[in-house]
Amino acid sequence: MTGQQLVRRWAWVGTFLIGAGLYLAVLAVLTDTGNPNLFPTMILLGALVVPLTFVTFAAGRSGRWLIDGPTLGGCLLFGGVVGVVVAGLLEYDAMRRLGTLPMVGVGLIEEAAKLVVPAILVIFFGHRYRTSVGRGIVIGVAVGTGFAVLETMGYAFVALLQSNGNVGAAEQTLFIRGLLSPAGHAAWTGLACWGLWRFVIKPTGAHFAGFVGMYALAVALHTTWDGIGGTITYAVVGAISIGLLLYGLKRAQRTDTAVVVA
């Protein structure tokens, strides 16, 4: 393992330490001064630190597929924003027609919405991104992370308003949702993109069925997570999600033959 590969493999530790340090510094100043101008910074950092650490962890284990910073950043930002906007619009229209939206409907819509940007990448920029399954999985993790970060920020902001500016309520929301996000949206979109990239690299009937199966699995995990809830559910679904994602990365690392130039 070269020095560059070693740095990439353990970059997640530095990402977490720096991010956590910045968050604690902002939280300390906010608690001491009560300056409301620091609320947005606290919410952003609290929602971002753990998910970004997980993206860095996944990218560092993507074998020889170097995922450059602009690609990761673009997937986090645009993937997250497009996913949230599309999911919000479709869920709103569905609830307006049906009056209520079952949990499986939420899973179907959100998992499909998060695939918009990955699909655009492989359709319009296939010569660059349609090169390895491992790269696709990491792109999916980044998009799912962006979605989770924006969702967490929204929940934290609502908690802050409903508690009349209680920092502790927002902090608790940020901690719980931020800690769980790698086992949720990030892993589910990574799994769906595992199937998507296998299909677009080698478009066969079996690989298409595999993509549909991985998407259905992501929806099932998502629906179970939202529909049942509770510590045991989160632990079991999270373990399955992370385990399958790491297995996908490991399998792609063994079978991919493409060399990606950063």
Side-chain angles (χ1 to χ4, degrees):
M1 183 178 293
T2 66
Q4 184 183 22
Q5 290 174 324
L6 192 63
V7 170
R8 288 181 60 242
R9 188 173 183 83
W10 294 100
W12 66 273
V13 176
T15 301
F16 175 75
L17 292 177
I18 293 173
L22 291 173
Y23 172 74
L24 291 175
V26 171
L27 182 61
V29 174
L30 176 60
T31 303
D32 185 54
T33 65
N35 185 354
N37 291 336
L38 294 175
F39 281 141
T41 306
M42 182 200 73
I43 291 175
L44 174 61
L45 288 174
L48 186 61
V49 172
V50 173
L52 184 60
T53 299
F54 185 69
V55 172
T56 309
F57 173 83
R61 277 148 183 78
S62 59
R64 53 187 171 184
W65 324 289
L66 285 175
I67 310 295
D68 56 275
T71 297
L72 279 180
C75 289
L76 275 164
L77 177 60
F78 293 107
V81 171
V82 171
V84 167
V85 170
V86 172
L89 179 62
L90 293 179
E91 288 173 354
Y92 173 76
D93 287 341
M95 286 189 292
R96 186 173 57 181
R97 294 190 181 95
L98 302 176
T100 182
L101 186 61
M103 285 297 105
V104 67
V106 173
L108 284 166
I109 290 173
E110 292 190 357
E111 294 309 316
K114 290 183 291 179
L115 289 178
V116 172
V117 167
I120 290 174
L121 290 179
V122 295
I123 292 173
F124 296 102
F125 303 95
H127 63 284
R128 179 176 181 183
Y129 296 107
R130 196 187 303 154
T131 53
S132 76
V133 176
R135 169 173 278 193
I137 293 174
V138 176
I139 286 174
V141 170
V143 170
T145 294
F147 187 96
V149 167
L150 293 176
E151 195 175 58
T152 297
M153 290 176 65
Y155 277 103
F157 181 67
V158 170
L160 192 66
L161 292 179
Q162 291 180 341
S163 63
N164 296 319
N166 184 349
V167 177
E171 186 181 3
Q172 183 179 19
T173 301
L174 290 170
F175 177 77
I176 294 174
R177 294 190 62 86
L179 191 63
L180 293 176
S181 61
H185 286 297
W188 301 330
T189 313
L191 291 175
C193 284
W194 178 11
L196 176 62
W197 252 255
R198 288 183 72 235
F199 172 66
V200 297
I201 290 175
K202 189 176 180 180
T204 64
H207 282 172
F208 178 73
F211 163 57
V212 173
M214 294 304 285
Y215 170 73
L217 175 62
V219 172
L221 291 169
H222 190 155
T223 302
T224 303
W225 182 284
D226 287 346
I228 299 178
T231 303
I232 296 177
T233 299
Y234 295 152
V236 173
V237 174
I240 293 173
S241 303
I242 294 293
L244 288 174
L245 183 71
L246 294 179
Y247 171 74
L249 280 171
K250 192 66 177 179
R251 182 171 178 177
Q253 187 176 17
R254 291 197 305 263
T255 58
D256 248 321
T257 57
V259 177
V260 176
V261 180

